[in-house]
Amino acid sequence: MLADFFILLKQELVVTAIIFLLLFIKLGKDRSNETLLGIINLLLFLNFASGFCCSQDGMLFNDMFHTNPLIVLEKNILNLAIWLISLQSYSWLKTHKHVIEFYLLLLSTLLGMFFMISSGNLLMFYLGLEMSTIPLAAAANFDLTKRKSSEAAMKLIISSAFSSALLLFGISLLFGTTGTLVLTELPAHLSANPLQIFAFILVLSGFAFKISAVPFHLWTADVYEGAPVAVTAYLSVVSKAAVLFVFVSVLYNAFKPLADVWYNMLFILSLATIIIGNLFAIRQDNFKRFLAFSSIAQVGFILLGISGSSQTGTASVIYFILIYVFSNLAAFGVISLVSAVKGKENISDYKAFYTTNPLLSWVITIALFSLAGVPPTAGFFGKFFLLTAGAAKGNYWWIGIAALNMVVSFYYYLRVVKAIFMDSNEQPIEKISIPNYSKLALIICVAGIIITGLASCVYDYIYSLSSGL
Amino acid sequence: MNLSLLIIIPLITALVILFCNGLKQVRAVALTGSVVQLLMSVFLLSTYWQERTAGNKLPMLFEYNTTWFKSLHINYHIGVDGISIAMILLTASVVVAGILVSWTMEKLNKEFFFLLVLLSMGAYGFFISLDLFTLFFFLEVAVIPKFLLIGIWGSGKKEYSAMKLALMLMAGSALVFVGLLGVYYQTNTFDIMQISQMHIPLETQKLFFPFAFIGFGIFAALFPFHTWVPDGHASAPTAASMFLAGISMKLGGYGCLRVATFLMPDAAHAYSWIIILLATIAIIYGAFATMMQTDLKYINAYSSVSHCGFVILGIGMMTQTSINGAVLQMVSHGLMTALFFAAIGMIYSRTHTRMVAQLGGLLKVMPFISTVFVIAGLCSLGLPGFSGFVAEMTVFMGSWQNPDTWYRLATILSCASIVVTAVYILRAAGKTVMGPITNNEYLGLADATWNEKLAAGILIIGIVLIGVAPFLINQLIGPGTENIMQQVGKVVTLK
């Protein structure tokens, strides 16, 4: 019994252990940031690596917590992302005064996400969600001297509080109409009566806030712009991915009786998200705002993928998120490096970037191509499978509009490529020497972008895991 | 023979180029790779020939089929018939010529040759694919290098042209994608040969045929989606212009034939009047638009719109001879425009102008280049003895076989465009090559170097070979077009 406990909770326990370890290190004598970051990166790698051993199905705490190989994989994707982000923020944290606190915040949110993904009960889900949001707001304020950073943190905390309120209201209505909060028991009690649909809409809005789907996206760009690059990367990749993982499984399982209802809602949400995200991304000059809107558009595509049947839908969404982790983090890796070393965050600063930093230029170009969905990068496969999954119900107009929106997104991604390769600039960003940690992270990202797509075993593996749902 | 080599060789070449230093190494590697590829294509041709003479009647030869994405029924399925081999040979010759023409490319040479080779890899992969997924994959692989090639190494309003080209081609592939998904959900497979065995209901075909045909049509300069052609061709560096006109417009034509028409013949039949209408407009409009151009590259680019109209016309007429003609026209136009752009590039690199009005009497100072220029022009206007005549003649003959009065009217109108072609070609050639030398600076210019001569030679051999011995290529592509005609024939007998 105790062995089960340790195996089922292994990822949570490892993260908790790292948190305590960091606390002890903090209590001990002062160490230089370089050694600290070395230790932490090693720990995060071990955390990621340990996730692969012995995974099994199981429930704990009166079905509050459940896990299966797919959930373990999802947590591993998050572990990978947080390790990559940590490697990339080396140059930023090297001179920061509060390295350990930063990681304590990040890891507590990670722990919250783990519990959220594993939740078997809406209460547990809510607890996990809050645990992952509140420390994040503190992390968004981690450029301690910048006002914009504080502003971002305030916006994040207020908007998440609002969305949590919606979510809680929805959950309480659900409990009122069905008498249960256990996810596996919900379907039996759902019958699409108006009150339940209203409750579902509230829950959906709560989710939509977290994944910044239009019209709940308004906080995204400001928060992304103000927060430190590492936190922006974390927000756009890890926290979004975690909520999406839950979203997919909740829609397909707990809200299965309402499938006709949420199919139409997803249709509207997804198209609005793709179109608005794209249109706003065209006009951005700040790189972080640009990626904020581009990530909004990407969420629209994910929603489109969810609309398909459960197995291909789940598989293509998780696959896409894995690719999205690699591509977005490759882009953020370059941006965080440039931002930390030169303090420049605008696309216009990147003009003629290729003349001085050819290697970084290629990395960011490959990342943007992957986000745009150009072969042979993995983004192509991700988008292709998402749209294929979405077309299963035969809504080809939806697919057609989404496919043409890919062309729009192409325009703004190519605009950046054009700035990097084709525009002239009298003072291009000087040559940046890449620290080894960042180099490692960028290599992993680029390798991921290329391999994840071409090696079909990744998709087939995820697909086989999704079948159990 | 193992067809995957056709993808692997360019891939290896491209990767080796990344590790080279200096122009000399880079171009040596690129040339070696492309020559090996050309030899491979010739070898492929000869083995194909042996198989056919030995009585092998299979529609596709040298097939290789393996599962790629099992859960989505996506296979890596490749194979060739005569049409694909003709396209592969065309690609290989244009690539060799393009690399030879760019022999002295100084600016960012490593990236330049890398992208050229990558682009050719996309084309090879496209032509050998028998699975819609891999076909689409390679189609898109060939788009991005074009954007970078034009945007970085181009001239004039290059950023605008590069962006326009990339966006229009991506829009084309987005449409193709919707068409493919429609077919996929109808048949539950991406395999072209399997789909051709099934019968897709007419309603479905009618819904998705336009997506696929217009999507590929954008690549093949289908009117009114041809607007990327003039700007793209004119702004691109010489080798990229050659690739664009010689290879990537052919991706569109081949896709229209192999995917849209072959898989959805009923709809192709139903919509053929629209296809022919658009093709006729493209042919006539393209010809008249060319008359107004003063820039040599724009002349060739607009005439490409007109010439590619013949490809679409041939496909739309749906008789065996006309489809044969469409394929011939693709090969012929590919070789001919590549030669034309090469000659224009050689002239431009010496005189630094492409304006017809500023050029004159070039035959006296650079006889070789001028001769090449004239040969390309004469081929373009359809002089017997060159490939252009054979191809256009076949298209007209085939089109005339279609008994419908309106279709015959379209044929007559298209035929008449040749007169216009003759006007602009002869005018441009006469003005630039003949007559007195307009600028004394031209007196000191040198004639073609060895690499330029070789590049032009390869392309001219192709043009003349098709021109004097058309039966050779007819035998090559014959079984392929017959196979397509069987699909179309099913429709005609149904009616």
Side-chain angles (χ1 to χ4, degrees):
Chain A
M1 196 56 211
L2 200 61
D4 262 7
F5 175 80
F6 277 110
I7 288 174
L8 293 179
L9 269 176
K10 59 170 176 159
Q11 282 160 310
E12 288 77 7
L13 289 174
V14 172
V15 174
T16 320
I18 295 176
I19 292 178
F20 276 103
L21 200 62
L22 288 181
L23 277 175
F24 283 127
I25 294 175
K26 179 74 187 170
L27 289 176
K29 67 174 188 283
D30 280 346
R31 289 185 175 77
S32 74
N33 276 359
E34 266 108 78
T35 35
L36 275 181
L37 285 169
I39 297 170
I40 292 170
N41 283 328
L42 182 66
L43 285 175
L44 287 177
F45 172 69
L46 292 176
N47 174 37
F48 166 61
S50 70
F52 285 99
C53 64
C54 45
S55 54
Q56 66 178 65
D57 288 358
M59 302 270 199
L60 279 177
F61 313 129
N62 278 334
D63 299 355
M64 278 279 192
F65 180 97
H66 72 113
T67 184
N68 59 37
L70 186 66
I71 289 178
V72 171
L73 176 77
E74 292 172 347
K75 289 175 183 169
N76 272 336
I77 294 177
L78 300 186
N79 276 335
L80 171 70
I82 201 166
W83 178 49
L84 290 175
I85 292 173
S86 163
L87 287 175
Q88 287 170 353
S89 26
Y90 177 77
S91 6
W92 172 60
L93 285 171
K94 204 169 51 180
T95 53
H96 205 284
K97 271 186 255 164
H98 303 283
V99 176
I100 292 192
E101 286 87 337
F102 179 72
Y103 280 99
L104 287 177
L105 290 172
L106 279 198
L107 289 173
S108 359
T109 65
L110 187 68
L111 196 58
M113 285 165 195
F114 282 180
F115 280 113
M116 177 172 79
I117 294 174
S118 278
S119 60
N121 185 304
L122 281 171
L123 269 186
M124 184 70 184
F125 161 70
Y126 180 73
L127 279 180
L129 188 71
E130 286 304 286
M131 192 171 163
S132 70
T133 319
I134 296 171
L136 204 51
N141 193 15
F142 233 71
D143 266 342
L144 296 171
T145 51
K146 283 191 191 158
R147 287 188 58 169
K148 272 208 154 176
S149 191
S150 317
E151 186 194 325
M154 274 317 277
K155 276 186 179 157
L156 181 60
I157 194 83
I158 290 172
S159 61
S160 358
F162 184 62
S163 75
S164 302
L166 285 179
L167 194 67
L168 262 188
F169 189 27
I171 291 175
S172 61
L173 283 180
L174 271 182
F175 185 66
T177 54
T178 62
T180 178
L181 286 176
V182 182
L183 288 173
T184 46
E185 289 173 12
L186 264 180
H189 299 89
L190 283 175
S191 57
N193 67 39
L195 192 57
Q196 283 176 352
I197 292 177
F198 180 59
F200 173 72
I201 291 176
L202 290 173
V203 174
L204 185 72
S205 317
F207 273 113
F209 252 108
K210 299 291 178 192
I211 59 176
S212 56
V214 173
F216 307 101
H217 66 290
L218 295 163
W219 58 277
T220 319
D222 292 343
V223 172
Y224 280 25
E225 188 187 0
V229 183
V231 180
T232 309
Y234 189 84
L235 271 170
S236 81
V237 175
V238 182
S239 83
K240 210 172 257 190
V243 178
L244 277 167
F245 290 146
V246 186
F247 189 51
V248 173
S249 84
V250 166
L251 278 188
Y252 285 139
N253 300 315
F255 291 109
K256 201 172 182 187
L258 301 181
D260 292 336
V261 179
W262 59 251
Y263 179 77
N264 291 323
M265 290 181 187
L266 280 189
F267 177 70
I268 297 165
L269 269 185
S270 137
L271 280 189
T273 309
I274 295 175
I275 292 171
I276 302 273
N278 271 342
L279 291 183
F280 280 80
I282 291 176
R283 315 245 342 142
Q284 303 306 321
D285 187 47
N286 181 292
F287 227 124
K288 280 149 74 184
R289 283 186 86 87
F290 168 80
L291 283 176
F293 283 108
S294 100
S295 79
I296 290 176
Q298 306 277 0
V299 166
F301 285 101
I302 294 178
L303 293 179
L304 168 58
I306 296 177
S307 74
S309 67
S310 78
Q311 193 180 3
T312 42
T314 313
S316 63
V317 168
I318 293 172
Y319 181 64
F320 185 80
I321 288 174
L322 175 64
I323 293 162
Y324 179 71
V325 165
F326 287 126
S327 348
N328 228 17
L329 287 185
F332 271 115
V334 177
I335 295 167
S336 72
L337 202 59
V338 173
S339 155
V341 179
K342 305 285 171 200
K344 290 179 175 173
E345 289 183 353
N346 285 342
I347 294 175
S348 47
D349 296 330
Y350 280 78
K351 282 182 180 171
F353 191 51
Y354 189 67
T355 53
T356 48
N357 294 290
L359 221 55
L360 287 179
S361 303
W362 277 120
V363 172
I364 198 165
T365 306
I366 290 173
L368 292 175
F369 282 162
S370 181
L371 288 173
V374 178
T377 60
F380 168 78
F381 296 87
K383 283 255 169 74
F384 194 102
F385 296 160
L386 269 186
L387 294 186
T388 309
K393 296 243 168 80
N395 203 340
Y396 290 101
W397 292 112
W398 188 356
I399 304 295
I401 296 170
L404 287 177
N405 262 285
M406 278 177 70
V407 182
V408 179
S409 73
F410 215 67
Y411 169 72
Y412 57 76
Y413 290 122
L414 283 186
R415 211 169 54 100
V416 180
V417 176
K418 171 178 157 277
I420 290 173
F421 282 91
M422 298 165 200
D423 287 347
S424 56
N425 189 353
E426 282 169 14
Q427 289 172 313
I429 296 170
E430 294 145 47
K431 178 141 187 63
I432 296 170
S433 66
I434 313 170
N436 284 334
Y437 288 116
S438 307
K439 215 178 266 176
L440 177 63
L442 292 178
I443 289 171
I444 294 173
C445 288
V446 171
I449 288 175
I450 291 167
I451 295 168
T452 325
L454 294 171
S456 58
C457 49
V458 180
Y459 180 80
D460 283 335
Y461 175 65
I462 296 175
Y463 186 82
S464 67
L465 288 187
S466 318
S467 67
L469 290 172
Chain B
M1 95 171 246
N2 191 346
L3 285 176
S4 296
L5 282 176
L6 288 174
I7 307 173
I8 293 168
I9 292 173
L11 187 64
I12 292 174
T13 315
L15 291 179
V16 173
I17 287 176
L18 285 184
F19 293 100
C20 289
N21 280 315
L23 176 62
K24 280 189 177 156
Q25 278 186 24
V26 169
R27 67 189 184 190
V29 172
L31 184 66
T32 319
S34 60
V35 168
V36 171
Q37 185 81 345
L38 181 62
L39 295 177
M40 284 283 300
S41 320
V42 175
F43 177 68
L44 173 66
L45 176 71
S46 73
T47 43
Y48 174 84
W49 215 273
Q50 282 166 10
E51 287 280 329
R52 281 287 185 236
T53 43
N56 193 334
K57 294 280 184 209
L58 288 173
M60 292 289 164
L61 294 187
F62 314 119
E63 275 188 73
Y64 176 74
N65 194 350
T66 180
T67 313
W68 194 2
F69 288 92
K70 190 165 153 247
S71 38
L72 290 167
H73 312 290
I74 290 171
N75 290 336
Y76 172 73
H77 186 186
I78 50 176
V80 287
D81 64 355
I83 303 178
S84 344
I85 291 182
M87 292 297 152
I88 289 165
L89 278 170
L90 164 70
T91 310
S93 347
V94 174
V95 171
V96 174
I99 284 169
L100 280 171
V101 165
S102 327
W103 203 240
T104 50
M105 170 63 70
E106 283 299 338
K107 183 185 173 193
L108 298 176
N109 47 59
K110 192 194 283 189
E111 291 83 348
F112 183 79
F113 285 103
F114 173 75
L115 290 171
L116 280 188
V117 176
L118 196 67
L119 175 51
S120 75
M121 186 188 88
Y124 290 120
F126 181 85
F127 289 132
I128 60 174
S129 289
L130 288 181
D131 186 90
L132 291 174
F133 181 83
T134 44
L135 185 111
F136 185 66
F137 176 84
F138 285 114
L139 179 71
E140 289 213 341
V141 165
V143 173
I144 284 301
K146 292 176 208 163
F147 171 76
L148 292 171
L149 281 170
I150 296 176
I152 301 177
W153 292 274
S155 56
K157 41 178 187 172
K158 52 183 183 157
E159 282 102 357
Y160 166 79
S161 312
M163 192 63 96
K164 187 174 180 181
L165 172 135
L167 292 184
M168 287 196 71
L169 294 189
M170 284 318 262
S173 45
L175 293 178
V176 169
F177 175 61
V178 177
L180 298 194
L181 278 188
V183 173
Y184 173 68
Y185 275 105
Q186 190 65 43
T187 59
N188 212 17
T189 175
F190 278 117
D191 193 299
I192 292 181
M193 300 319 284
Q194 277 183 32
I195 296 172
S196 71
Q197 302 299 320
M198 303 175 194
H199 189 258
I200 305 173
L202 182 62
E203 290 308 308
T204 319
Q205 289 196 18
K206 275 192 157 175
L207 189 58
F208 293 108
F209 178 81
F211 283 104
F213 196 88
I214 295 175
F216 282 118
I218 294 179
F219 280 79
L222 174 73
F223 183 86
F225 308 104
H226 64 280
T227 51
W228 62 271
V229 178
D231 292 323
H233 286 57
S235 306
T238 306
S241 299
M242 292 165 69
F243 276 38
L244 268 179
I247 303 170
S248 63
M249 286 172 83
K250 307 302 165 284
L251 300 182
Y254 182 85
C256 284
L257 194 61
R258 173 79 78 213
V259 178
T261 313
F262 185 55
L263 298 184
M264 295 179 269
D266 301 315
H269 205 74
Y271 288 122
S272 67
W273 66 276
I274 303 182
I275 300 173
I276 286 165
L277 182 68
L278 293 179
T280 317
I281 295 175
I283 291 169
I284 295 168
Y285 163 82
F288 277 104
T290 317
M291 297 259 281
M292 304 302 296
Q293 303 305 319
T294 52
D295 182 322
L296 281 178
K297 270 197 162 180
Y298 271 101
I299 288 182
N300 196 19
Y302 272 105
S303 81
S304 285
V305 174
S306 174
H307 284 120
C308 279
F310 287 116
V311 177
I312 308 278
L313 183 78
I315 295 173
M317 287 293 181
M318 298 187 83
T319 65
Q320 180 166 5
T321 320
S322 76
I323 289 181
N324 248 336
V327 177
L328 271 173
Q329 174 72 353
M330 279 198 261
V331 178
S332 148
H333 175 258
L335 291 169
M336 178 234 339
T337 17
L339 185 67
F340 219 146
F341 275 122
I344 295 170
M346 294 174 204
I347 293 175
Y348 179 70
S349 67
R350 289 168 174 76
T351 61
H352 304 292
T353 180
R354 295 191 308 244
M355 292 298 159
V356 178
Q358 293 170 16
L359 295 165
L362 294 182
L363 192 61
K364 297 189 182 72
V365 282
M366 25 185 158
F368 185 86
I369 297 176
S370 307
T371 316
V372 170
F373 184 75
V374 172
I375 290 177
L378 292 180
C379 179
S380 173
L381 66 78
L383 191 77
F386 295 123
S387 61
F389 170 75
V390 176
E392 285 173 16
M393 195 64 197
T394 319
V395 173
F396 294 141
M397 300 250 294
S399 306
W400 195 256
Q401 287 170 357
N402 199 321
D404 190 288
T405 321
W406 291 105
Y407 286 13
R408 289 201 164 164
L409 180 67
T411 313
I412 294 171
L413 286 173
S414 312
C415 237
S417 79
I418 290 195
V419 183
V420 187
T421 312
V423 173
Y424 64 73
I425 291 287
L426 291 179
R427 200 169 63 181
K431 183 76 188 55
T432 40
V433 178
M434 316 288 176
I437 296 175
T438 49
N439 190 335
N440 284 332
E441 285 173 16
Y442 295 166
L443 283 172
L445 295 177
D447 202 2
T449 49
W450 67 269
N451 52 303
E452 290 170 335
K453 284 181 181 167
L454 197 58
I458 292 170
L459 296 173
I460 291 177
I461 289 173
I463 290 176
V464 174
L465 199 65
I466 299 175
V468 296
F471 56 88
L472 285 178
I473 188 161
N474 262 329
Q475 277 175 5
L476 175 65
I477 62 179
T481 46
E482 256 170 47
N483 198 19
I484 290 175
M485 275 317 289
Q486 276 176 5
Q487 285 292 106
V488 180
K490 280 182 201 163
V491 183
V492 179
T493 47
L494 272 177
K495 290 274 146 68

